[in-house]
C-alpha cells in the first residue's frame, strides 16, 4: 500500500462513531467502514511492531491477525471515546495483543483455518527502511506514521476535489508548494505553467494551502472524541512531523 486511502463517504462523523456503531447488532455498514479504517492505519502499527523487534514476516502476520481479531472478537466492547484518541486506542490494543494474544494467535495461524483481514503490505519493508533510527522509539515511529497517514488522507482528498473540478493538471503543478516557505515559491514560473497572471498564481497557491490545512484538520478531528481539543492534537502531530 503506497498511500493511505482517503476516508470513505460512508464513514460516520468520527472514527470513534464508527467503532461505537460497530458494537451494535445492526452494524454491517459500520463494520465495512471499520475494515476500511484498519486498512488505512495498518502501517503505523506494522512500523511499531518492527521497531519492537519483530521480523518483517512476523510483523506482517501480527498486524493482520490483530485487525482480524479486533473485528471478530469483542474487544470493541471496551472501546469508548472518553478513553482517549483513536490513535491511542489502537496502539494500546496492539500492545495488549502482543503481550497476551500473539503467541496463541501464531499457533492458530500455523494450524490453519483462520481468515485474515487482507492488507496490502507489499512495500512495507521499503517504507520501514526509510524510518528514522535511534533515538526514535517504537512509539515515536508509530506517531510519526500516524501523522503522515493523516497528511496523505488530506492530500488524496484534495487531489480528488481538483479531479472532480477537472483541474488535475493544476493540482500536479501546485502540490509541490504545499509546505514550501512562501518566499521560496516561484510565482512567476508557476504563472507561466498555469497560464495565469502572477497574481492569480499567488491566489491559487494560497487557496490550495488553505484547503489542505482544512482537510488535515478534518482528518485529525475524525480521530478524536467529541469535545476533545482538535487544536491540541493538531499541535502535537505537527510537532511530531517537525521533529528531525
Amino acid at each position: 500500500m503506497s498511500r493511505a486511502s482517503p476516508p470513505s463517504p460512508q464513514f460516520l462523523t468520527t472514527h470513534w462513531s464508527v467503532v461505537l456503531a460497530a458494537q451494535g447488532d445492526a452494524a454491517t455498514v459500520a463494520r465495512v467502514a471499520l475494515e476500511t479504517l484498519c486498512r488505512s492505519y495498518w502501517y503505523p502499527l506494522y512500523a511499531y511492531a518492527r521497531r519492537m523487534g519483530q521480523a518483517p514476516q512476523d510483523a506482517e502476520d501480527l498486524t493482520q491477525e490483530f485487525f482480524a481479531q479486533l473485528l471478530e472478537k469483542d474487544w470493541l466492547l471496551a472501546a469508548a471515546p472518553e478513553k482517549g484518541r483513536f490513535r491511542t486506542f489502537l496502539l494500546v490494543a496492539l500492545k495488549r495483543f502482543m503481550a497476551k494474544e500473539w503467541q496463541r494467535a501464531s499457533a492458530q495461524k500455523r494450524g490453519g483455518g483462520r481468515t485474515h483481514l487482507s492488507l496490502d503490505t507489499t512495500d512495507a519493508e521499503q517504507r520501514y527502511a526509510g524510518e528514522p533510527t535511534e533515538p526514535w522509539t517504537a512509539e515515536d515511529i508509530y506517531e510519526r506514521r500516524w501523522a503522515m497517514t493523516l497528511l496523505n488522507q488530506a492530500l488524496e482528498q484534495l487531489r480528488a476535489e481538483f479531479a472532480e473540478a477537472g483541474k488535475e493538471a493544476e493540482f500536479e503543478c501546485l502540490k509541490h508548494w504545499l509546505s514550501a516557505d512562501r518566499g521560496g515559491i516561484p510565482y512567476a514560473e508557476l504563472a507561466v505553467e498555469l497560464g495565469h497572471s502572477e497574481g492569480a498564481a499567488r491566489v491559487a497557491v494560497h487557496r490550495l494551502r488553505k484547503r489542505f490545512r482544512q482537510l488535515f484538520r478534518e482528518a485529525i478531528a475524525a480521530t478524536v472524541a467529541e469535545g476533545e481539543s482538535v487544536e491540541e492534537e493538531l499541535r502535537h502531530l505537527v510537532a511530531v512531523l517537525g521533529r528531525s
Side-chain angles (χ1 to χ4, degrees):
M1 182 182 296
S2 59
R3 59 170 67 92
S5 301
S8 167
Q10 66 185 338
F11 277 15
L12 304 180
T13 305
T14 68
H15 295 354
W16 271 121
S17 60
V18 172
V19 171
L20 294 176
Q23 298 174 5
D25 294 329
T28 301
V29 173
R31 182 182 177 86
V32 171
L34 185 58
E35 290 180 358
T36 304
L37 281 181
C38 293
R39 292 187 176 96
S40 295
Y41 295 112
W42 70 269
Y43 180 73
L45 294 171
Y46 173 90
Y48 174 86
R50 286 287 287 116
R51 184 53 56 93
M52 288 298 292
Q54 296 289 332
Q57 187 60 55
D58 288 339
E60 180 179 334
D61 290 345
L62 186 154
T63 305
Q64 289 180 326
E65 184 64 28
F66 167 72
F67 281 127
Q69 295 204 28
L70 183 73
L71 294 171
E72 292 172 8
K73 296 189 175 182
D74 61 356
W75 295 354
L76 294 177
L77 296 178
E82 61 268 19
K83 294 185 178 181
R85 296 163 172 79
F86 189 69
R87 65 175 168 85
T88 304
F89 160 70
L90 280 184
L91 183 57
V92 169
L94 180 71
K95 288 180 177 179
R96 289 174 178 170
F97 173 72
M98 291 176 69
K100 299 180 181 180
E101 302 285 339
W102 174 230
Q103 185 174 359
R104 181 169 65 228
S106 296
Q108 291 175 341
K109 178 180 182 298
R110 287 192 296 271
R114 287 197 50 79
T115 300
H116 286 239
L117 178 68
S118 177
L119 301 175
D120 183 1
T121 58
T122 53
D123 67 343
E125 271 307 290
Q126 182 177 355
R127 295 173 67 181
Y128 184 71
E131 300 296 357
T133 56
E134 293 183 356
W136 287 69
T137 66
E139 286 82 359
D140 293 335
I141 296 296
Y142 172 77
E143 291 200 345
R144 178 175 183 265
R145 275 300 169 178
W146 182 274
M148 293 179 73
T149 296
L150 296 181
L151 277 178
N152 284 335
Q153 288 178 0
L155 183 64
E156 291 307 304
Q157 182 61 43
L158 187 60
R159 185 194 306 274
E161 292 180 359
F162 270 75
E164 185 176 357
K167 297 181 177 180
E168 297 95 331
E170 181 175 333
F171 176 80
E172 292 300 319
C173 176
L174 295 175
K175 69 178 182 179
H176 306 290
W177 311 107
L178 275 170
S179 59
D181 293 335
R182 292 188 182 276
I185 300 176
Y187 290 109
E189 295 178 17
L190 280 177
V192 173
E193 189 171 351
L194 293 171
H196 298 329
S197 67
E198 185 171 337
R202 289 179 179 274
V203 171
V205 171
H206 172 75
R207 288 176 177 173
L208 180 86
R209 289 160 68 109
K210 181 179 180 181
R211 181 58 179 155
F212 181 70
R213 289 194 298 269
Q214 291 172 340
L215 291 172
F216 184 46
R217 191 182 187 282
E218 289 172 8
I220 291 173
T223 70
V224 299
E226 184 177 353
E228 243 187 336
S229 174
V230 176
E231 294 304 321
E232 179 182 345
E233 182 74 345
L234 175 62
R235 287 193 295 271
H236 172 75
L237 295 180
V238 168
V240 169
L241 291 167
R243 179 181 171 186
S244 60

